[in-house]
Amino acid sequence: MARFNDLLSLGILKDDPEVRYNKPEDDPTREPVMVNFKMIMIRGIRHFGAVSERMKLDAPIVLTTNPSIMNEIREWKKGDVVLLKGTLASMDAVRRTKCPECGEVEKLSESLVYINPIFVMKMYQGMDAKEAQEFLKSCAEISNRITILGTVFDKPNLYTTRAGQRIVNYKLEAERKYRIKGDYETHRKDYVIVKSYGKIADSDSAALKEGSEVLIEGMLQVRQYQETAVCPKCGKEHTVIRSKTEIIPYSTEYLQIDRPIKTEKTEAAPC
Ligand SMILES: [Zn+2]
């Protein structure tokens, strides 16, 4: 299967970038090993079947282990306006949460979906929040765009919300055409939830099943939700806020249907 995963974004840094090093702070030979930040993007939400006509802000995670991109990004500051081209990637991550009752630190596993930048450029700095948001609005067409080719991993699920909105969601499996530095050699696939609305949801529901191949043009949505965690030490329940990055298609092309998904590939990696 061909591989295609192309993301374009013009956005604003939500916070200063967070830098992780290979050695402690007092070691002058330390080098950065990972840089990440949240990037605020804007999208109109009427074009792909949603009821609302609002503009919406989302702030997905941008994460890199590439030395030259890390060096550029680590100089950036909160509020900088940046242009980025990259791919959407995923990894198994661990989130630490503290029990409010007894203070026990619990590790919650999650599938982290993030942007892997390939090209970055700072365009403006020093705008105040209002100026930056006005600027972002004028760039809504290119602020949050993704084109991705993948395979429907599980059975698409159609449901209707109380407001009458029809939604289909499914997990997409996308093959990676590159290797991310620091990631497992064998990690060659990314997984992300796709959520379609309205007419696209209707046709997705009719056309897609496990193993279908799709070419999606869409946008990223970051959704926060609450989850109940049970503390392994004191056994009490507490609420954890988690977030999920999903793709909202505005166009889905159905390439091939009924292809078994679990087939092992023998094809050699290109890099
Ligand atoms: Zn506890």
Side-chain angles (χ1 to χ4, degrees), residues 99-104 231-236 238:
C99 171
E101 296 288 334
C102 72
E104 173 79 357
C231 172
K233 196 176 173 192
C234 71
K236 291 196 173 135
H238 59 99

Side-chain angles (χ1 to χ4, degrees), residues 32-183:
V33 289
M34 185 189 281
V35 178
N36 67 276
F37 64 90
K38 284 186 180 166
M39 177 147 156
I40 303 169
M41 305 172 179
I42 198 164
R43 60 187 164 100
I45 57 178
R46 67 197 147 91
H47 298 302
F48 44 94
V51 174
S52 167
E53 298 203 351
R54 288 175 297 129
M55 299 296 266
K56 198 169 176 306
L57 297 174
D58 295 274
I61 292 171
V62 178
L63 188 154
T64 184
T65 52
N66 175 294
S68 61
I69 295 180
M70 282 195 293
N71 276 335
E72 185 152 359
I73 289 180
R74 58 199 275 225
E75 304 299 327
W76 293 354
K77 297 283 173 225
K78 176 183 176 179
D80 288 355
V81 176
V82 300
L83 180 67
L84 180 154
K85 185 175 154 60
T87 64
L88 195 67
S90 68
M91 66 172 163
D92 295 329
V94 170
R95 230 192 90 188
R96 286 174 178 79
T97 174
K98 203 171 181 181
C99 171
E101 296 288 334
C102 72
E104 173 79 357
V105 176
E106 194 190 345
K107 289 176 181 172
L108 301 173
S109 60
E110 63 183 6
S111 172
L112 177 70
V113 172
Y114 65 96
I115 296 166
N116 170 48
I118 290 163
F119 166 86
V120 294
M121 187 168 75
K122 182 160 88 173
M123 300 189 67
Y124 301 101
Q125 63 183 37
M127 284 187 185
D128 64 36
K130 196 164 176 276
E131 277 175 326
Q133 223 177 86
E134 282 306 311
F135 176 74
L136 209 54
K137 262 188 199 168
S138 70
C139 302
E141 282 300 316
I142 60 157
S143 181
N144 184 347
R145 301 292 294 258
I146 180 165
T147 307
I148 189 166
L149 183 69
T151 306
V152 176
F153 187 75
D154 53 11
K155 189 175 176 287
N157 170 34
L158 170 74
Y159 61 97
T160 305
T161 64
R162 267 185 227 160
Q165 177 83 69
R166 297 180 311 285
I167 301 175
V168 162
N169 60 20
Y170 58 89
K171 189 191 271 186
L172 185 77
E173 179 186 79
E175 294 209 28
R176 229 182 239 182
K177 56 183 171 186
Y178 55 90
R179 191 172 106 73
I180 293 180
K181 193 174 176 284
D183 203 351

Side-chain angles (χ1 to χ4, degrees), residues 205-219:
S205 167
L208 296 181
K209 49 180 86 166
E210 188 182 320
S212 304
E213 285 179 8
V214 286
L215 177 64
I216 295 172
E217 287 181 88
M219 310 179 183

